[in-house]
Amino acid sequence: MPAEEVPVPLSPSLSANPFTITADSEQPRSQSSIDPVIIELSHSAVTNDPTAQSQKGDEAVPLLPSGESTVRQVKYSTTPSGDIVGKDGRLKRDGEQYRSSDPSLAALALRHVSEGETLYNFVTTHGSSRPYLLLQCKGSHREWRTRKHIRYEDGKTITSTETYSEMINDFDFTIEASEAILPGSITWLVGDREATYRGRKRLEVDNTPIMVTEVEGQMVPMDLEAGNTGKRSTTWSRKATKSEKEASAVWRKRREDWGYAPWALIRGTIRGTEGCVESPETRYQLQYAANGPFGMSDDGEISSPSKTLRQWTDEYCASPKLAKDFTFQKVVHGWNMDSLRQAVGSAIRANYPHRDEPVVSIRLEASNITVQSNNWYTFIVSNRWILGFMWITAIFPLFIWPFKQFVRSGSGEWRVAGCAFALTKWEHLSDSAPGETAESYHQRTTETLVDTGPSAPATPLKATSKGVSKLVGESETQWLARWEETIVGYVKQGYMSSVPITQPLESFGRAGDNLDGRHPLSS
């Protein structure tokens, strides 16, 4: 696909700058950069004269390299599945250092912060677009057949019979259910106890030690990471244990299968494995809003992250690692995907004449935004001819791969955040009161109408500690009711296509559908 250019706005405020410039401190220094292949991020000038210099005795220290642009243009490519992939060589420049004792160079900290802000704006801007939710149905069966072989030996004709099996594809089609995704998204971050990639090529958990200090006669927790302005940022992550890896894998599997929101605590999992939300206002709005199997999750107390998304992007930009990836993931929640798969499979089996089991799978496309470093290593691994030559000559397995895998500055990966899109959610009703039940709320809001006797509310309601909430969105049961006839019809017709179906058909098997060039798909 052709590259797109999207201007990324910059925040004029410097209040987010976590760096303090003092005398003889080390600050990012930019040298000659490698032209990026896919994504190009131009730095923001911190002075009106980009070639201005600061004098330290007789030594001149450039504030910014000449030719720096104040406008940021982001270039990226899109994979066939819709994922966005960017390769940059300029974000790594933040890992290099400026050296000066002039306090007036405090503005140079903006370079580091602006690069983190660029990455932050890039992933959140593209992360706000909804992914594609696809349901694929595929059926095939095996048939046993025989064939004769005739050969001639010593003037004689010998005939033999061979039995063989052949796989026959009966149907293969995909349905797009993206229209069921509700507008809006929520940015979430990983929990401290979830085993994920936090800057290294291994699964880690946050292990910040809990220490206290005395403030005004009271013992309060002490933040060991505050005020650190050294060359490397202090992190307390450690390698995840086998049990932590298994617990995180189980949590992610349950979240995907049962349709839980990333910030919902699932019963039977370790607290801290669930995701976090930055904004206190958003956390309050999301309380008791997650939809899933009744009584199996807790979203009454949503945690705040120990590190914000902006801090993660700053950490990525400051990392001097050779090969590094930052992945921002989109997820959907609100449907029990496991139950939906089983229900669709049951509908197919009831109309499928063969004993073989049909395959029903649900997947997301356009769900990942990845920014990768762009240097000699990524050039080698992306060029199959050079990579093949290095494998044949044993240069890659003996030198390059060990350096990337085992050296601390070799490679790193960040999978710490994403955007969540709701298919269904519980929305708090502002005219309800704490302690009010769903029945009393329904009776109170319908008492002004003509009394026709007791009736159930048309919209599902539930009581929470904040009051009463209503279910918003189309449930998986309602969606399948609209699509079941279409799915069964395509199975009977043996339909095969790689193009996703976006609208259900009204009926099948009508007389004359195939006459005069007509086809059921065009009706």
Side-chain angles (χ1 to χ4, degrees):
M1 295 182 63
E4 300 183 37
E5 295 192 2
V6 179
V8 180
L10 290 178
S11 173
S13 174
L14 302 182
S15 59
N17 185 355
F19 302 92
T20 303
I21 311 301
T22 57
D24 295 324
S25 62
E26 294 185 350
Q27 303 305 326
R29 182 182 184 88
S30 177
Q31 299 175 359
S32 60
S33 63
I34 302 175
D35 291 334
V37 176
I38 297 178
I39 177 173
E40 181 179 352
L41 304 178
S42 56
H43 296 275
S44 175
V46 296
T47 63
N48 294 329
D49 182 6
T51 60
Q53 295 181 344
S54 172
Q55 300 293 332
K56 179 186 176 183
D58 296 332
E59 179 183 1
V61 181
L63 292 183
L64 285 175
S66 60
E68 291 293 335
S69 172
T70 59
V71 180
R72 295 169 181 268
Q73 297 291 335
V74 178
K75 297 180 180 180
Y76 60 91
S77 67
T78 306
T79 64
S81 63
D83 292 340
I84 293 177
V85 179
K87 291 185 178 180
D88 73 275
R90 306 190 66 165
L91 283 177
K92 188 187 175 184
R93 295 169 65 176
D94 288 327
E96 303 164 1
Q97 301 293 316
Y98 274 97
R99 296 179 180 272
S100 176
S101 60
D102 190 346
S104 65
L105 295 184
L108 288 176
L110 175 62
R111 288 180 52 83
H112 187 101
V113 177
S114 64
E115 287 308 313
E117 184 178 12
T118 299
L119 178 58
Y120 174 88
N121 290 336
F122 180 70
V123 297
T124 53
T125 299
H126 292 285
S128 60
S129 60
R130 70 181 186 182
Y132 298 109
L133 178 61
L134 303 176
L135 184 143
Q136 184 178 13
C137 303
K138 185 176 182 180
S140 59
H141 69 279
R142 186 176 297 277
E143 291 185 357
W144 292 91
R145 300 179 180 180
T146 59
R147 57 189 172 192
K148 292 184 178 181
H149 290 276
I150 300 176
R151 68 180 187 275
Y152 298 94
E153 292 184 2
D154 300 331
K156 298 180 181 180
T157 301
I158 301 176
T159 303
S160 61
T161 303
E162 177 188 8
T163 303
Y164 68 98
S165 64
E166 184 176 353
M167 186 65 68
I168 306 299
N169 294 326
D170 299 313
F171 59 89
D172 187 358
F173 58 89
T174 302
I175 296 175
E176 182 181 342
S178 305
E179 81 284 350
I181 299 177
L182 297 175
S185 62
I186 301 296
T187 301
W188 58 276
L189 295 101
V190 296
D192 293 342
R193 300 268 72 81
E194 180 180 355
T196 186
Y197 294 99
R198 302 172 185 264
R200 295 185 181 180
K201 281 292 184 180
R202 68 182 187 186
L203 296 176
E204 297 181 322
V205 297
D206 187 78
N207 192 41
T208 303
I210 300 177
M211 300 182 67
V212 295
T213 183
E214 185 175 356
V215 177
E216 298 181 355
Q218 295 183 354
M219 304 303 293
V220 297
M222 181 173 58
D223 186 1
L224 300 181
E225 298 189 44
N228 178 27
T229 59
K231 182 176 180 180
R232 293 179 178 175
S233 61
T234 302
T235 60
W236 300 98
S237 300
R238 61 168 174 80
K239 183 178 180 180
T241 63
K242 181 180 179 180
S243 60
E244 289 171 335
K245 294 178 183 178
E246 293 175 349
S248 298
V250 169
W251 177 81
R252 282 190 289 266
K253 184 70 167 57
R254 289 180 178 178
R255 187 193 72 190
E256 295 173 359
D257 288 347
W258 295 350
Y260 285 118
W263 50 82
L265 176 63
I266 303 175
R267 180 181 297 178
T269 59
I270 302 174
R271 180 170 290 277
T273 309
E274 76 280 4
C276 308
V277 179
E278 289 186 29
S279 171
E281 294 79 7
T282 305
R283 290 199 299 270
Y284 178 78
Q285 294 175 0
L286 294 176
Q287 284 182 346
Y288 309 106
N291 186 32
F294 179 75
M296 292 295 293
S297 66
D298 177 19
D299 59 343
E301 296 182 4
I302 303 175
S303 305
S304 60
S306 56
K307 188 180 293 186
T308 64
L309 175 58
R310 178 58 188 278
Q311 290 173 326
W312 281 116
T313 58
D314 285 340
E315 179 181 306
Y316 171 87
C317 294
S319 173
K321 293 182 182 297
L322 177 67
K324 54 182 181 177
D325 302 342
F326 190 97
T327 301
F328 193 78
Q329 183 184 12
K330 302 177 189 178
V331 298
V332 296
H333 61 92
W335 280 7
N336 192 323
M337 299 299 182
D338 190 42
S339 297
L340 180 59
R341 276 192 294 263
Q342 295 180 18
V344 173
S346 299
I348 293 176
R349 283 192 298 270
N351 297 272
Y352 189 47
H354 303 286
R355 299 178 61 183
D356 299 73
E357 190 74 15
V359 178
V360 179
S361 59
I362 300 176
R363 70 179 187 273
L364 283 178
E365 290 190 353
S367 59
N368 288 319
I369 303 169
T370 303
V371 177
Q372 302 172 339
S373 55
N374 180 36
N375 46 44
W376 62 267
Y377 176 81
T378 56
F379 175 75
I380 289 175
V381 297
S382 62
N383 190 309
R384 61 179 182 176
W385 299 107
I386 298 179
L387 184 61
F389 172 77
M390 289 196 167
W391 272 103
I392 294 174
T393 56
I395 296 176
F396 188 90
L398 293 181
F399 300 100
I400 299 180
W401 185 86
F403 172 79
K404 169 182 174 293
Q405 197 70 16
F406 301 110
V407 177
R408 187 180 183 90
S409 60
S411 64
E413 187 172 353
W414 284 260
R415 291 179 178 267
V416 294
C419 266
F421 297 79
L423 292 159
T424 58
K425 62 180 180 179
W426 292 99
E427 189 175 90
H428 174 65
L429 297 171
S430 58
D431 58 344
S432 64
E436 187 175 14
T437 64
E439 293 78 7
S440 61
Y441 174 84
H442 175 62
Q443 183 179 3
R444 177 173 61 83
T445 54
T446 57
E447 63 182 3
T448 57
L449 304 178
V450 178
D451 187 10
T452 58
S455 62
T459 303
L461 304 174
K462 78 169 183 178
T464 68
S465 61
K466 297 192 295 183
V468 178
S469 299
K470 68 175 181 179
L471 187 64
V472 179
E474 183 182 34
S475 67
E476 60 270 37
T477 304
Q478 296 170 335
W479 181 89
L480 183 58
R482 290 194 301 111
W483 279 90
E484 184 174 2
E485 184 182 359
T486 302
I487 294 173
V488 172
Y490 279 124
V491 170
K492 291 181 178 180
Q493 292 181 7
Y495 182 69
M496 294 188 185
S497 177
S498 59
V499 179
I501 306 166
T502 58
Q503 295 294 332
L505 302 180
E506 295 180 357
S507 61
F508 288 88
R510 294 174 298 181
D513 272 343
N514 295 320
L515 298 180
D516 300 327
R518 295 179 59 194
H519 190 274
L521 297 181
S522 62
S523 58

